[in-house]
Amino acid sequence: MTTAPPSGAPIRVLIADDQEMVRTGFRFFLDAQPDITVVAEARDGEEAVALARRERPDVCLLDIRMPRLDGLEATRLLAGPDVADPMRVVVVTTFDLDEYVYGALRGGACGFLLKDSGPTLLAEAVRAAAAGDSLVSPSVTVRLLSHITAPQAVAAAPVRPAQPTEPLTDRELDVVRRVALGRTNAEIAAELYVSLSTVKTHLSSVQLKLSARNRVEIAVWAWQHGYGQPGG
């Protein structure tokens, strides 16, 4: 996995979208952030894959519907389970369709964002991906998890963390429950009256025990095992 940028270094981003106005808008906003810089733009999936492999950005923002190679296939080539050194990909799309969400997560994406989510959430998704976290648009998160955890969907779920290699502690389960409810690390720390570093330590331990690649997979495990509801 591409390592996080050095402390103080800007997050290097690649933008791939077949619409020039979208690329320009994203670049304008992201370049205005003090901790983010756009290092490459691509007009289609093939160009995105080639540029990403050459530039090794910290985060790739990929549209889904692009010529020559769509964003889901580009995601698989850059971040899929067979990639030796996977990159951090956030899929940004106009289309709020379940098959796209499933395809993106199955392909290795660590975030899924709708274009109408707004610039603030876009920057948050970039920062989350760079830090090794995940961000999925709030408008699709609950539906995604409820579909994944329905009995008929469990076998076909796009991401299925394994059973824990060892039991989760009570405190780790407290953290997992809050991840499943969409809490940020800062919100979890405040609710549990612990430090941010303690939350990160618990999350690292949970990921290791579940063999989960990211926050989304932790949330899926939680919902599938009854920890996705308040008080679960």
Side-chain angles (χ1 to χ4, degrees), residues 34 40 44 102-103 152 155 168 190 220:
D44 59 64
Y102 293 167
Q152 68 272 20
L168 272 61
V220 169

Side-chain angles (χ1 to χ4, degrees), residues 64-65 72 95-107 112 143-144 147 158:
I64 286 182
R65 294 190 176 179
L72 297 182
F95 304 99
D96 181 11
L97 300 177
D98 290 335
E99 58 264 35
Y100 287 162
V101 183
Y102 293 167
L105 297 178
R106 188 182 298 115
F112 187 96
R143 192 188 72 243
L144 168 66
H147 281 195

